């Protein structure tokens, strides 16, 4: 009888070593770009009270209604694996007494969990960089956050992205809009699907987001939020647009962009791509001026965005801009028990002298031919060979593996006394800039 295999969880992926170069490229570039604008990293837990997400994201959102991984812990508390990071960051500011009029520019990274229907680009465990600016009224900071995104795409070599923006106004202007919307949709109630009918009471704006093809014409003729904006939100939105034009960042105003989370007000934006099929949003965000007060903190304006790392990695893989993972620098080959022991000692010395270099040693013996094959596969720039003969004479052979003209190495082999090996390798190893 065969032992049954444990199945992976649907929508939760392993990232294998050969995929890591693109991940590291995206992660390192993002960290660099965030630092260039003065943002600092913070870390928040992956699990929070379920109530946090209900209050922050909203009871009538897809995320809270259908997608949360919630469970009751041993102490009887209802906890949830975070579906996004903004609620946790806002909670952390309040819990740690970080507000009191202070301003923070922050980012965090890690896995998020949503019980969505998995497909390409949409997973149940996915990763986000979340960037949050807390205590700023904007619109200058809204513009800065969009500039961070634009710079990041440029640094990653991603060109097929477009920016869409909209303004959701203040809660007051949205209330007026909401009433107009509800009365419009009530006039067409027979044509609404069950989801939309339910949302009519709780969250009518979400009906605008409906993907149901049979409702597209009703949605298209619905009243526009932009016709209900209060004067301050209008001025904020105008300033955002004129600064984006000044920075040369192309954008499109999409009056139907409402976002799937309830905490937004005024500016919302989304970077979308036509290169990934139906999961076209790679980075989305907006202002959440009311959220911190809504969670019991002192009223503090805030704005942020999150980018989906899997989707950005997929774009980077398409354009091929990620540098290849470096192979080994030195591979030690030895034959005979004593020589093998000597190789272990030499390898440790090399690691002492050359921190950051990849020094691999042949493990599990094997004849010279097999060992050279492994050395070649490791990508090493040099092989260091210690056989019986070398051991007896207190030397090793230093063999260049990647000199021009030579797969397997045609460069000059060099005999080096064991005591001078570290210096000989250090002097010859290629520089990394
Ligand atoms: P969101 O639009 O829900 O916003 O997610 C942000 C990004 O995460 C999306 O644009 C997408 O790239 C990625 N994403 C979302 N769901 C999935 C999934 N199931 N699989 C793969 N990628 C996904 C937020 O999460 C807000 N917290 C953004 C924010 C930060 N607003 C203000 N500050």
């Amino acid at each position: 009888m065969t032992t049954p295999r444990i199945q992976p969880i649907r929508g939760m992926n392993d990232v294998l070593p050969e995929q890591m170069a693109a991940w590291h490229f995206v992660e390192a570039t993002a960290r660099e770009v965030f630092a260039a604008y003065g943002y600092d990293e913070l870390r928040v837990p992956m699990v929070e009270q379920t109530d946090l997400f209900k209050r922050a994201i909203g009871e009538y959102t897809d995320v809270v209604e259908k997608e949360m991984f919630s469970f009751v812990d041993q102490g009887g508390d209802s906890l949830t694996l975070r579906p996004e990071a903004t609620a946790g960051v806002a909670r952390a500011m309040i819990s740690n007494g970080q507000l009191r009029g202070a301003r923070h520019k922050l980012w965090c990274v890690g896995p998020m969990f949503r019980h969505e229907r998995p497909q390409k680009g949409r997973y149940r465990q996915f990763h986000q960089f979340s960037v949050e600016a807390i205590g700023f009224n904007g619109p200058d900071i809204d513009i800065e956050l969009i500039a961070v995104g634009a710079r990041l795409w440029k640094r990653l070599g991603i060109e097929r992205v477009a920016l869409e923006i909209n303004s959701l106004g203040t809660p007051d202007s949205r209330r007026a809009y909401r009433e107009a919307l509800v009365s419009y949709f009530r006039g067409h109630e027979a044509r609404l699907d069950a989801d939309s009918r339910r949302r009519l009471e709780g969250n009518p704006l979400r009906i605008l987001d409906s993907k149901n093809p049979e409702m597209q014409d009703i949605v298209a003729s619905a009243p526009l939020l932009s016709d209900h904006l209060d004067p301050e939100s209008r001025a904020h939105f105008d300033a955002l647009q004129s600064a984006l034009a000044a920075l040369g960042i192309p954008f499109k105003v999409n009056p139907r962009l409402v976002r799937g989370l309830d905490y937004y007000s005024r500016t919302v934006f989304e970077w979308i791509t036509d290169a990934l099929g139906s999961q076209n949003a790679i980075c989305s965000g907006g202002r959440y001026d009311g959220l911190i007060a809504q969670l019991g903190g002192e009223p503090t304006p805030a704005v942020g965005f999150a980018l989906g790392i899997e989707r950005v990695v997929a774009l980077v893989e398409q354009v091929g801009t990620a540098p290849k993972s470096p192979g080994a620098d030195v591979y030690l080959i030895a034959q005979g028990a004593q020589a093998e022991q000597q190789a272990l000692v030499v390898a440790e010395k090399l690691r002492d002298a050359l921190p950051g270099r990849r020094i691999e040693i042949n493990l599990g013996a094997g004849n010279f031919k097999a060992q050279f094959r492994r050395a070649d596969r490791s990508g090493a720039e040099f092989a260091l060979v210690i056989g019986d003969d070398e051991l007896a004479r207190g030397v090793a052979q230093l063999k260049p593996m990647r000199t021009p003209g030579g797969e397997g190495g045609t460069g000059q082999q060099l005999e080096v006394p064991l005591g001078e090996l570290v210096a000989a390798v250090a002097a010859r190893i290629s520089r990394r800039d």
Side-chain angles (χ1 to χ4, degrees):
M1 224 176 70
T2 51
T3 314
R5 287 194 189 161
I6 303 282
Q7 294 302 315
I9 299 174
R10 210 160 102 80
M12 302 204 180
N13 301 312
D14 305 304
V15 184
L16 299 175
E18 59 265 30
Q19 300 168 287
M20 286 317 302
W23 280 74
H24 284 161
F25 178 52
V26 171
E27 288 170 2
T29 309
R31 282 165 201 266
E32 234 177 82
V33 171
F34 301 156
Y37 287 82
Y39 288 74
D40 293 313
E41 182 176 5
L42 92 161
R43 296 186 184 188
V44 293
M46 247 179 278
V47 184
E48 298 271 3
Q49 302 282 353
T50 300
D51 260 354
L52 171 67
F53 301 116
K54 283 193 179 161
R55 276 165 65 181
I57 296 172
E59 298 261 7
Y60 292 97
T61 56
D62 279 354
V63 171
V64 169
E65 277 182 340
K66 316 182 201 163
E67 297 170 0
M68 294 212 292
F69 281 92
S70 300
F71 61 97
V72 177
D73 78 354
Q74 288 83 343
D77 290 326
S78 174
L79 306 183
T80 294
L81 299 185
R82 63 178 179 197
E84 58 105 53
T86 310
V89 171
R91 199 263 320 127
M93 293 291 106
I94 300 168
S95 317
N96 294 285
Q98 297 284 300
L99 297 169
R100 305 197 179 98
R103 313 197 303 176
H104 302 276
K105 300 209 298 185
L106 307 165
W107 63 267
C108 62
V109 62
M112 309 293 153
F113 303 86
R114 297 184 193 176
H115 201 279
E116 298 194 70
R117 207 161 38 78
Q119 62 179 77
K120 189 171 174 297
R122 186 164 73 197
Y123 309 107
R124 290 184 175 170
Q125 176 180 303
F126 59 98
H127 297 76
Q128 282 184 346
F129 269 108
S130 201
V131 183
E132 315 288 357
I134 294 178
F136 299 85
N137 271 309
D140 48 2
I141 189 79
D142 311 23
I143 297 154
E144 176 169 289
L145 285 166
I146 290 175
V148 166
R151 184 168 299 277
L152 187 54
W153 315 138
K154 197 153 95 194
R155 291 282 315 277
L156 294 171
I158 295 173
E159 284 172 356
R160 285 171 70 177
V161 279
L163 173 65
E164 294 194 345
I165 60 173
N166 193 19
S167 176
L168 301 184
T170 59
D172 278 346
S173 60
R174 213 156 61 241
R175 218 163 289 130
Y177 173 62
R178 206 185 124 113
E179 278 165 25
L181 204 59
V182 170
S183 87
Y184 169 81
F185 281 129
R186 285 234 183 281
H188 297 82
E189 206 164 341
R191 304 242 346 252
L192 298 183
D193 59 21
D195 253 2
S196 302
R197 227 169 283 157
R198 198 164 34 84
R199 288 198 168 123
L200 207 48
E201 281 308 319
N203 193 350
L205 263 72
R206 291 286 292 149
I207 303 176
L208 298 173
D209 236 12
S210 165
K211 304 277 180 300
N212 184 344
E214 280 158 30
M215 284 175 45
Q216 289 313 302
D217 56 330
I218 312 177
V219 168
S221 334
L224 286 180
L225 202 127
S226 46
D227 296 335
H228 292 77
L229 277 191
D230 54 289
E232 276 115 80
S233 296
R234 167 57 57 204
H236 191 111
F237 196 42
D238 289 345
L240 172 71
Q241 294 181 56
S242 97
L244 288 177
L247 286 176
I249 299 175
F251 62 92
K252 189 180 122 191
V253 175
N254 175 358
R256 308 269 166 221
L257 180 62
V258 292
R259 307 279 298 121
L261 315 163
D262 275 359
Y263 49 61
Y264 292 109
S265 55
R266 292 200 172 149
T267 310
V268 289
F269 60 93
E270 215 152 73
W271 292 95
I272 54 174
T273 178
D274 61 358
L276 292 180
S278 60
Q279 300 310 309
N280 64 351
I282 59 168
C283 177
S284 343
R287 295 203 72 81
Y288 47 99
D289 292 338
L291 177 63
I292 290 173
Q294 201 181 305
L295 296 176
E298 59 206 78
T300 308
V303 54
F305 69 75
L307 72 87
I309 301 184
E310 280 79 359
R311 296 183 190 176
V312 174
V313 162
L315 286 180
V316 160
E317 281 169 347
Q318 273 184 17
V319 288
T321 41
K324 281 205 172 55
S325 302
D329 292 293
V330 179
Y331 193 98
L332 284 96
I333 289 173
Q335 207 157 47
Q338 264 189 303
E340 280 169 14
Q341 207 171 65
Q342 188 63 56
L344 282 171
V345 173
V346 169
E348 287 302 327
K349 284 199 178 132
L350 285 171
R351 292 182 188 115
D352 286 341
L354 300 167
R357 295 295 189 160
R358 193 160 167 152
I359 314 293
E360 286 194 51
I361 186 164
N362 184 73
L363 299 168
N367 61 30
F368 277 126
K369 195 167 164 221
Q371 294 198 39
F372 267 109
R373 213 178 305 124
R374 289 183 194 141
D376 192 38
R377 243 183 273 136
S378 77
E381 187 178 3
F382 290 100
L384 258 179
V385 188
I386 310 176
D388 286 339
D389 171 52
E390 283 83 7
L391 195 67
R393 292 189 293 120
V395 298
Q397 305 293 335
L398 180 60
K399 185 175 161 60
M401 302 284 286
R402 309 270 150 204
T403 40
E407 181 57 9
T410 55
Q412 273 299 305
Q413 184 165 318
L414 194 73
E415 187 166 294
V416 185
L418 286 178
E420 293 165 28
L421 254 183
V422 170
V425 172
R428 281 169 184 78
I429 208 158
S430 50
R431 288 185 43 202
R432 275 196 203 145
D433 296 314

